[in-house]
Amino acid sequence: MTEQPPRRERVVLSQRRGARMMRTRVEVQEQTEVGDALVRGLMRAQLGIALRLAAAVIVVIVAIPLTGTVFPWLTSVEILGVRLNWLVLVFALYPLLYVAGRIYVHFAEQAERDFLRVVDDETDHE
């Protein structure tokens, strides 16, 4: 009787990928150095989004009084008894702040989704 050696089994990359994803999730939960680096990367991305957006909003806010300084006749213009600079503040500034907040939330959530794709299996969240 001739016994044949057992068939070789091929290891597939997708099986290894699942193990790596689980390990990454555990590292984040246990706050290891790798998990800490991933969380810091998420925080750094959200801080970068906030700073860039804040800079854009500050530029627009500073431009409003500068426009009044460069063109002084604009500060004396009245529409329905209200000066133009006040109308600009009411009808341009508050919507600008609202839109900036919405944009920040959108990009911050996108950064969190990217973080989850790194930490977790992509099929769990889609």
Side-chain angles (χ1 to χ4, degrees), residues 57-113:
V57 168
I58 288 172
V59 166
V60 173
I61 290 174
V62 168
I64 293 171
L66 283 179
T67 304
T69 304
V70 173
F71 305 106
W73 59 271
L74 284 174
T75 58
S76 61
V77 173
E78 289 187 9
I79 300 175
L80 300 172
V82 181
R83 287 190 177 172
L84 182 63
N85 54 352
W86 286 104
L87 291 174
V88 167
L89 286 173
V90 169
F91 293 111
L93 187 61
Y94 290 118
L96 170 74
L97 293 175
Y98 176 77
V99 169
R102 296 288 298 200
I103 291 171
Y104 173 76
V105 168
H106 172 74
F107 284 118
E109 287 176 348
Q110 183 176 355
E112 288 177 8
R113 283 190 300 269

Side-chain angles (χ1 to χ4, degrees), residues 1 5 16 32 42 44 49-50 52 62 88 92 99 115 124-125:
M1 295 192 192
R16 172 107 170 102
T32 63
L42 172 65
R44 199 175 311 118
I49 293 166
R52 285 189 299 269
V62 168
V88 167
V99 169
F115 174 76
D124 290 344
H125 296 286

